Amino acid sequence: MIVISYKDKYNKYEDLNITDFEDQIELLFTVNDQLVDGDSCVDIVANAETIRYMLSIAMSELDYAPHKINMEKDGAIYCLEMFDDGSLRVFLYDKYNDSLQGTSIYLYQEEVTQDIVDFVLNFYSDSDIWLFGYEDEDDIPISKEDVSDLDIVAKIMEDKHFEVLPTMLPFEYLLKDLWRF
């Protein structure tokens, strides 16, 4: 008897949740709701400027009290750690210092590097890991004005990939593909 077994290859990126927030304030209110609903600690990893902004909002709007704040480098990656008792701390994020305690960890996509994402996925598998700040590059702003057909044709003609043929094609040539059906 021959027994063949196989094992599905595990992809750690399947554990990564991707979300988008309108701004950092919406993220902080979501984190606050998580802490009210029973999470004990939530971590947010981002650069110094983003963490300073979120720190000021958390203390002024959500009434969190700082337990410890250590922000000595401007261009570094920091962690804002918020606790269910209303306290918070900020520290320099060093992936080799096993310091994240959150039941949820939020990583700001535009500010953390791939090696940080990989490290968190590998060593904090018991936490919910969220990549936030994602913006789709294909989003096209929608005009709220009335647009005529002539405006649409003019926009198409402006496209650098649009090529105008030097001569007109005969009508039969354009319809040749329709005759096959």
Side-chain angles (χ1 to χ4, degrees):
M1 176 161 71
I2 299 174
V3 177
I4 299 174
S5 67
Y6 66 94
K7 185 175 182 179
D8 292 333
K9 188 173 180 181
Y10 174 70
N11 183 356
K12 65 182 175 187
Y13 295 104
E14 292 175 359
D15 294 336
L16 183 65
N17 302 301
I18 298 175
T19 189
D20 189 15
F21 292 102
E22 188 173 313
D23 54 14
Q24 290 94 346
I25 297 172
E26 183 182 0
L27 167 65
L28 287 173
F29 280 103
T30 301
V31 167
N32 188 53
D33 290 344
Q34 282 181 273
L35 294 170
V36 168
D37 290 341
D39 286 0
S40 60
C41 177
V42 176
D43 294 327
I44 303 169
V45 179
N47 73 11
E49 183 180 328
T50 302
I51 293 295
R52 280 189 184 100
Y53 176 72
M54 286 195 274
L55 179 63
S56 67
I57 298 297
M59 290 180 1
S60 64
E61 299 296 321
L62 298 174
D63 297 326
Y64 278 82
H67 175 68
K68 182 179 180 182
I69 298 176
N70 185 4
M71 298 187 75
E72 53 202 36
K73 297 180 183 177
D74 281 337
I77 300 294
Y78 286 92
C79 178
L80 169 61
E81 201 163 53
M82 300 173 70
F83 298 94
D84 60 349
D85 66 355
S87 66
L88 57 83
R89 73 179 184 133
V90 176
F91 57 91
L92 184 64
Y93 176 74
D94 180 7
K95 69 180 183 182
Y96 301 110
N97 180 5
D98 187 23
S99 53
L100 300 180
Q101 315 177 43
T103 52
S104 291
I105 300 171
Y106 289 89
L107 305 170
Y108 191 28
Q109 179 198 12
E110 296 175 14
E111 298 172 356
V112 298
T113 58
Q114 184 65 41
D115 63 329
I116 293 174
V117 174
D118 289 338
F119 184 82
V120 169
L121 283 171
N122 287 333
F123 291 99
Y124 297 101
S125 59
D126 56 337
S127 298
D128 289 332
I129 301 165
W130 294 87
L131 190 64
F132 74 95
Y134 178 77
E135 293 180 15
D136 191 2
E137 294 176 5
D138 294 335
D139 284 347
I140 299 172
I142 298 172
S143 174
K144 304 223 187 280
E145 303 170 4
D146 289 335
V147 180
S148 70
D149 291 342
L150 290 175
D151 293 334
I152 294 171
V153 171
K155 188 66 177 170
I156 291 171
M157 297 299 285
E158 289 175 2
D159 188 4
K160 293 179 177 58
H161 301 291
F162 184 74
E163 185 176 325
V164 178
L165 297 173
T167 59
M168 293 292 291
L169 294 174
F171 186 68
E172 294 81 25
Y173 180 81
L174 296 173
L175 294 177
K176 75 176 178 130
D177 290 333
L178 293 175
W179 293 109
R180 285 190 284 167
F181 298 109

